[in-house]
Amino acid sequence: MTDTNTRSEDAQSPLTDPDSLRERDDVVVEEVTRPMPDEKFEALRERYDAIAGVVQVGLTHEDAVLLWGEESAAPPGGSVDGGEDWVAAARDAMEDLTGQQVEIDDPLLLEVTHFARESDESETFPAPSVHFGASLVDPDPAFVSDPSAPEDFEHPMFEDPPQLQWVEAVTDAVDENHAHHVDLYLD
């Protein structure tokens, strides 16, 4: 994890209850239902039973947003443990991924995905995610020109450190479930 002594002060205060975002006029709230094959449904339910939710971060620099993955690129993020500050989780995830100091801005979106078992769509579970904007505090020109994750970066979605890329608009490489997130971050 990131050394708390070198951390920047985030532009927004701690957040321990994402449902409190429902009361804010400046945060978009979306409820989405997504059917999943039975095997994937069980794996996702097991994952979300162990965490409070996930954060996704729109780290922007100039007119571009950072994405991870190659053929199915998406905004990066990480898991949030029960009782953990969602802002700190977002910052830690981005600083671990980039090796750069990051400032987390206000939340932009509270998205609750209700995953449904494909064979019985009445069986669902909620998976909350909070999307934040963010920026690099003192951008390293080498990272800006050629972003890459540290070799020792670990995340349950990737066997090896993920490919990072800056995008200025939604492209064919952006996962269709995240296209509107990219637009949100770039607005």
Side-chain angles (χ1 to χ4, degrees):
M1 286 290 162
T2 306
D3 179 2
T4 56
N5 294 325
T6 61
R7 233 184 237 152
S8 64
E9 290 299 316
D10 293 314
Q12 88 111 19
S13 56
L15 174 67
T16 56
D17 179 13
D19 276 337
S20 68
L21 296 175
R22 293 178 184 278
E23 300 170 15
R24 289 182 47 176
D25 293 336
D26 62 335
V27 177
V28 175
V29 177
E30 294 179 356
E31 303 269 342
V32 179
T33 300
R34 188 167 296 136
M36 285 287 151
D38 289 2
E39 303 78 35
K40 192 168 185 177
F41 177 86
E42 288 302 331
L44 279 171
R45 180 172 22 204
E46 186 175 308
R47 176 177 183 223
Y48 279 94
D49 281 350
I51 60 174
V54 297
V55 290
Q56 288 188 284
V57 182
L59 178 65
T60 56
H61 181 72
E62 297 180 357
D63 294 328
V65 64
L66 186 72
L67 300 181
W68 65 8
E70 294 177 69
E71 296 172 14
S72 187
S79 299
V80 181
D81 293 327
E84 184 178 9
D85 174 13
W86 291 61
V87 176
R91 183 185 48 246
D92 289 348
M94 293 311 297
E95 290 185 352
D96 288 349
L97 173 67
T98 65
Q100 304 291 304
Q101 192 175 10
V102 174
E103 180 178 308
I104 301 297
D105 299 324
D106 286 332
L108 302 169
L109 169 68
L110 167 61
E111 182 176 53
V112 180
T113 302
H114 298 273
F115 288 108
R117 182 184 294 276
E118 205 169 59
S119 65
D120 178 5
E121 291 194 14
S122 68
E123 187 178 352
T124 66
F125 67 89
S129 63
V130 176
H131 295 251
F132 293 93
S135 57
L136 297 168
V137 172
D138 187 18
D140 177 354
F143 179 82
V144 170
S145 67
D146 186 19
S148 61
E151 287 297 319
D152 62 349
F153 177 78
E154 293 182 14
H155 191 279
M157 286 177 43
F158 302 99
E159 287 183 28
D160 296 316
Q163 169 96 22
L164 302 180
Q165 60 183 305
W166 296 106
V167 298
E168 294 178 351
V170 175
T171 66
D172 290 342
V174 175
D175 183 292
E176 67 183 35
N177 293 323
H178 295 286
H180 71 290
H181 299 144
V182 171
D183 287 336
L184 177 71
Y185 300 140
L186 291 174
D187 279 344

